[in-house]
């Protein structure tokens, strides 16, 4: 009896074990499956996050590259602008120096050429020489204007009437300079020409109420001393030549003062309202030609 009970219990225990194992196994399988799904989901999320992160990185890289390109472009533009500014500044600084050097060379060459022609070859026709030089200057300006190299104001009767006083003094200045150079050496002509600055300063003081500094007057006083010292020690002193040179100084100072007074009226007589240096050169040289022809007849230089 007891053995049958034990067998019954044992059989019941054996019959219950397989069901319990199956349940446990199913639970473990479900847990593993859930874990696998969770792992796949997490990997998917990580992949999506990685994809989004990579897209953000590419976007940031593109923005960085564009910013670098823009910065490089700005730097290049800034460098180009600085280089142009530097070149413009250099040209602006060297412009007056080049112009001053060209003026010195032209002035010295003209004085030496006139001295050689008038004194070296005993050429007694200073007005004819002036006419020739003014004609060449007018021709050069007209050719440059026609070729488009320079721009000049068109001549009008109103502009000519306003400019005639300046031109008359200009002609007197050239004629007196020619005759003074015939009788005086080049060094004394150059020294005496500095007296023109003193006369101009005095004229500006009385006509335009423009006062000079004490340093300027001191420099002008030194010019007077140099002119007097040069005249006293001049072995080739010629009263006629000095007279012509004094007249030339007065006319040169008068030319500067008259030009300043007439300039506003002359500008109003032009269409553009301005008058550049080239237009002034054309006015002076072209308007002096008829007066020079009259003086050639009056001074008996027609044969030359």
């Amino acid at each position: 009896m007891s053995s049958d009970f034990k067998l019954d219990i044992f059989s019941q225990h054996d019959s219950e074990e397989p069901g319990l194992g199956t349940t446990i196994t199913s639970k473990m399988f479900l847990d593993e499956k859930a874990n696998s799904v969770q792992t796949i989901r997490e990997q998917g999320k990580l992949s999506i996050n990685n994809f989004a992160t990579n897209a953000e990185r590419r976007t940031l890289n593109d923005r960085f590259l564009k910013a670098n390109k823009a910065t490089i472009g700005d730097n290049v533009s800034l460098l180009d602008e600085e280089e142009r500014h530097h070149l413009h500044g250099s040209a602006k600084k060297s412009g007056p120096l080049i112009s001053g050097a060209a003026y010195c060379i032209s002035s010295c060459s003209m004085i030496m050429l006139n001295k050689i022609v008038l004194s070296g070859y005993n050429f007694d026709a200073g007005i004819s020489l002036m006419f020739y030089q003014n004609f060449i200057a007018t021709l050069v300006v007209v050719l440059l204007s026609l070729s488009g190299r320079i721009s000049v104001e068109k001549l009008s009767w109103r502009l000519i009437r306003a400019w005639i006083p300046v031109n008359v003094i200009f002609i007197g200045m050239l004629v007196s300079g020619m005759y003074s150079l015939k009788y005086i050496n080049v060094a004394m002509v150059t020294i005496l020409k500095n007296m023109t600055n003193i006369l101009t300063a005095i004229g500006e003081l009385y006509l335009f109420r423009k006062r000079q500094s004490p340093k300027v007057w001191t420099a002008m006083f030194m010019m007077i001393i140099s002119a007097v010292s040069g005249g006293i020690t001049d072995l080739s002193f010629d009263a006629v030549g000095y007279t012509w040179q004094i007249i030339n100084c007065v006319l040169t100072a008068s030319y500067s003062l008259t030009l300043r007074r007439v300039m506003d009226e002359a500008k109003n007589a032009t269409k553009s309202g301005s008058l550049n240096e080239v237009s002034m050169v054309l006015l002076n040289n072209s308007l002096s030609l008829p007066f020079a022809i009259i003086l050639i007849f009056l001074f008996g230089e027609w044969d030359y």
Side-chain angles (χ1 to χ4, degrees):
M1 182 72 181
S2 60
S3 60
D4 294 336
F5 180 75
K6 290 180 180 178
L7 291 171
D8 185 45
I9 293 173
F10 182 77
S11 61
Q12 288 179 358
H13 179 74
D14 292 340
S15 62
E16 290 177 357
E17 282 296 328
L20 179 63
T22 304
T23 303
I24 293 172
T25 303
S26 300
K27 288 182 179 180
M28 291 177 63
F29 177 76
L30 290 174
D31 291 338
E32 290 178 357
K33 188 176 182 180
N35 291 331
S36 299
V37 171
Q38 184 67 25
T39 303
I40 292 171
R41 287 180 180 178
E42 289 178 357
Q43 290 178 354
K45 290 181 180 180
L46 289 174
S47 299
I48 293 172
N49 291 332
N50 290 332
F51 179 77
T53 303
N54 292 331
E56 290 178 357
R57 287 178 180 175
R58 285 195 296 270
T59 304
L60 291 176
N61 288 332
D62 292 339
R63 291 180 180 177
F64 181 73
L65 291 174
K66 290 180 180 179
N68 283 339
K69 289 180 180 179
T71 304
I72 293 171
D74 293 338
N75 291 333
V76 172
S77 299
L78 183 61
L79 291 174
D80 292 339
E81 185 177 356
E82 289 179 354
E83 185 176 358
R84 288 194 298 267
H85 181 72
H86 178 70
L87 293 175
H88 180 70
S90 300
K92 190 175 181 180
K93 291 180 180 179
S94 61
L97 180 61
I98 295 174
S99 300
Y103 173 78
C104 291
I105 294 173
S106 300
S107 180
C108 293
S109 301
M110 183 64 69
I111 292 175
M112 295 301 297
L113 175 63
N114 290 339
K115 181 63 178 179
I116 292 172
V117 173
L118 294 173
S119 298
Y121 292 94
N122 294 322
F123 190 75
D124 295 328
I127 300 175
S128 300
L129 181 60
M130 180 196 71
F131 173 81
Y132 169 74
Q133 292 173 353
N134 291 345
F135 176 77
I136 295 298
T138 303
L139 184 62
V140 170
V141 172
V142 170
L143 291 177
L144 290 176
S145 177
L146 293 176
S147 63
R149 298 287 183 178
I150 58 176
S151 60
V152 295
E153 295 292 336
K154 292 183 179 180
L155 298 181
S156 62
W157 285 112
R158 183 184 175 187
L159 180 59
I160 292 174
R161 285 195 302 268
W163 201 259
I164 281 179
V166 178
N167 191 255
V168 171
I169 300 174
F170 176 75
I171 294 170
M173 181 181 68
L174 294 181
V175 172
S176 60
M178 287 288 186
Y179 280 100
S180 66
L181 194 61
K182 179 177 176 59
Y183 298 103
I184 307 178
N185 58 61
V186 175
M188 281 308 305
V189 168
T190 305
I191 294 174
L192 294 174
K193 276 183 176 295
N194 293 327
M195 299 294 294
T196 303
N197 300 325
I198 302 172
L199 297 177
T200 303
I202 295 173
E204 288 183 343
L205 178 62
Y206 285 98
L207 295 177
F208 305 106
R209 304 300 177 185
K210 182 180 179 181
R211 299 182 179 276
Q212 305 293 339
S213 63
K215 294 181 180 180
V216 174
W217 288 112
T218 302
M220 292 182 181
F221 181 73
M222 298 299 293
M223 292 179 186
I224 295 175
I225 294 176
S226 65
V228 173
S229 301
I232 293 174
T233 58
D234 186 12
L235 300 178
S236 60
F237 180 82
D238 192 299
V240 176
Y242 274 79
T243 302
W244 279 113
Q245 185 56 48
I246 293 173
I247 295 173
N248 178 261
C249 291
V250 174
L251 291 174
T252 304
S254 301
Y255 173 79
S256 300
L257 298 172
T258 306
L259 181 64
R260 182 175 177 180
R261 182 180 291 273
V262 172
M263 185 58 69
D264 293 335
E265 183 180 355
K267 288 181 179 179
N268 293 330
T270 60
K271 293 182 179 180
S272 63
S274 62
L275 192 65
N276 56 24
E277 292 81 3
V278 182
S279 299
M280 294 167 58
V281 172
L282 180 61
L283 278 170
N284 281 328
N285 289 279
S286 61
L287 294 180
S288 65
L289 297 178
F291 292 100
I293 294 175
I294 296 174
L295 291 176
I296 287 173
F297 281 102
L298 291 177
F299 282 81
E301 295 184 4
W302 184 250
D303 293 338
Y304 290 94

